[in-house]
């Protein structure tokens, strides 16, 4: 299985949810779509918890924890 499968599944999940909620305003759908995509990537294992910790650190959060 290629490395594209998990992100493709995350996109499909996000798209289905956004289509179902298309009556919401665009300013709600855009951040919702980003959050859904990120959550799906984590849930599907496309991002490790180390990746999530690094992202938090890059966004000004606590220092990333490295697993050995």
């Amino acid at each position: 299985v290629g490395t594209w499968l998990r992100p493709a599944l995350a996109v499909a999940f996000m798209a289905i949810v956004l289509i179902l909620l298309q009556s919401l305003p665009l300013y709600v759908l855009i951040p919702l779509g980003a959050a859904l995509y990120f959550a799906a990537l984590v849930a599907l294992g496309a991002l490790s918890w180390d990746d999530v910790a690094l992202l938090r650190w890059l966004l000004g959060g606590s220092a990333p924890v490295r697993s050995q």
Side-chain angles (χ1 to χ4, degrees), residues 4-28:
W4 56 269
L5 182 60
R6 289 180 178 150
L9 289 172
V11 166
F13 170 73
M14 178 192 67
I16 290 168
V17 173
L18 291 180
I19 288 169
L20 293 173
L21 299 174
Q22 66 184 341
S23 62
L24 293 175
L26 191 59
Y27 64 84
V28 172

Side-chain angles (χ1 to χ4, degrees), residues 4-64:
W4 56 269
L5 182 60
R6 289 180 178 150
L9 289 172
V11 166
F13 170 73
M14 178 192 67
I16 290 168
V17 173
L18 291 180
I19 288 169
L20 293 173
L21 299 174
Q22 66 184 341
S23 62
L24 293 175
L26 191 59
Y27 64 84
V28 172
L29 292 176
I30 291 173
L32 178 62
L36 286 169
Y37 181 66
F38 179 75
L41 285 175
V42 172
L44 292 169
L47 290 178
S48 70
W49 287 110
D50 285 341
D51 295 332
V52 174
L54 178 61
L55 182 60
R56 285 186 59 207
W57 178 72
L58 289 172
L59 295 174
S62 59

